Amino acid sequence: MNDTLRSPSRQQIFPPMDREAELDRLSLKLRNASGVGMQVLSLLGSQADGLLDMLPTSVRSGLEKATAAALEQSFNAAAASRGGRLGDGSDWLTRAITIGTGAAGGFGGLPSAMAELPVTTTIILRAIQSIADEHGFDPAKPEVRAACLRVFAAAGPLDGDDDLDLSFLTLRMTVTGASIKSLISKIAPRLAIPLGQKLAAQSVPVLGAAAGAATNYAFTSYYQDVARVQFGLLRLAEQTGESPESLTADLKRRLA
């Protein structure tokens, strides 16, 4: 890893890792990431594809734009929150907070769920930045912040597709304002689908608040796991001298 990307709080050298054992560990984490999401679908008695059909046409057509707006707001807000008095919380604390925002968003149906969207996205992105720091990367660096953002390019927790697309792991880290907008434009269409599923779950009559809490828990734990896979892979690339693309290809073979 380039020294300029190191986190000031993580200057120590990480102990050497066994390449094969680490790839096995990361593949297992990625495979299990959607487990909670499948439980949420069981709670709702629905299929992931069916959730999107529950949304009004106007909402479905505006999902990509709303997702891009949420990502743009969150990109700066998450970083700013880490610079203040609010320290990094544990995984469970972050999940507890998003459970609360999800319940509040689902309580008022679709309008409140739409308003809650950028708030929860910011909280999750801030947690991803904390995981970057945990792996020795400095979340204040634009390149690392971009890497945090691209975690959202992974399939959502309600996807349930065994043929995982790992192309998000090899998206290049970008640094300029224009390239961040370009990165968001690439991520938004992919993230719009799982966020649409989340909004639909929160709009379920009577179950809205409970579904909002459950889906937010699933989303938060899922993206935390995906972030640990991505930054674990980058740290392994530093130690072995291999490219992330090569390690990703090996990871995909294990998933297959």
Side-chain angles (χ1 to χ4, degrees):
M1 178 174 61
N2 188 326
D3 286 344
T4 61
L5 299 184
R6 287 187 180 276
S7 171
S9 63
R10 303 283 178 178
Q11 290 294 333
Q12 78 275 17
I13 298 175
F14 289 94
M17 291 180 288
D18 180 292
R19 178 189 185 280
E20 301 304 311
E22 181 65 4
L23 284 173
D24 286 341
R25 186 186 72 81
L26 293 176
S27 65
L28 181 62
K29 182 171 285 293
L30 192 57
R31 188 178 295 281
N32 293 337
S34 296
V36 178
M38 296 304 100
Q39 295 174 27
V40 171
L41 286 177
S42 297
L43 169 69
L44 298 174
S46 175
Q47 298 295 316
D49 292 341
L51 283 174
L52 287 177
D53 294 334
M54 295 167 55
L55 291 174
T57 303
S58 59
V59 174
R60 288 202 304 270
S61 62
L63 265 178
E64 190 173 319
K65 184 177 180 180
T67 301
L71 287 173
E72 287 179 4
Q73 292 177 45
S74 302
F75 184 73
N76 292 318
S81 70
R82 295 193 81 250
R85 292 185 177 181
L86 187 60
D88 291 336
S90 66
D91 284 359
W92 283 104
L93 177 60
T94 301
R95 293 170 193 177
I97 293 171
T98 57
I99 285 172
T101 60
F107 186 78
L110 193 55
S112 60
M114 290 289 290
E116 173 257 336
L117 191 62
V119 177
T120 296
T121 305
T122 299
I123 295 170
I124 294 175
L125 184 53
R126 188 185 186 281
I128 293 170
Q129 291 174 349
S130 298
I131 290 169
D133 178 69
E134 173 188 311
H135 284 76
F137 294 86
D138 186 356
K141 301 294 184 181
E143 298 92 335
V144 178
R145 290 173 67 198
C148 293
L149 193 62
R150 75 185 184 188
V151 169
F152 285 119
L158 307 184
D159 187 277
D161 187 356
D162 290 334
D163 186 20
L164 288 169
D165 179 6
L166 301 185
S167 59
F168 75 94
L169 287 172
T170 54
L171 285 172
R172 293 295 181 181
M173 287 187 277
T174 51
V175 294
T176 68
S179 55
I180 287 297
K181 284 187 175 296
S182 175
L183 182 61
I184 287 175
S185 71
K186 293 177 183 177
I187 294 173
R190 302 180 63 144
L191 183 59
I193 294 175
L195 287 188
Q197 295 165 341
K198 171 179 136 56
L199 289 173
Q202 288 176 289
S203 66
V204 174
V206 182
L207 284 177
T215 52
N216 270 20
Y217 177 83
F219 270 70
T220 305
S221 59
Y222 174 80
Y223 288 117
Q224 285 173 326
D225 284 346
V226 171
R228 286 201 163 85
V229 171
Q230 174 179 251
F231 289 109
L233 206 65
L234 290 175
R235 193 170 71 187
L236 185 61
E238 179 207 20
Q239 288 202 357
T240 62
E242 293 182 66
S243 70
E245 290 81 3
S246 172
L247 290 171
T248 298
D250 227 351
L251 183 65
K252 188 160 189 174
R253 281 192 288 272
R254 281 167 165 77
L255 290 168

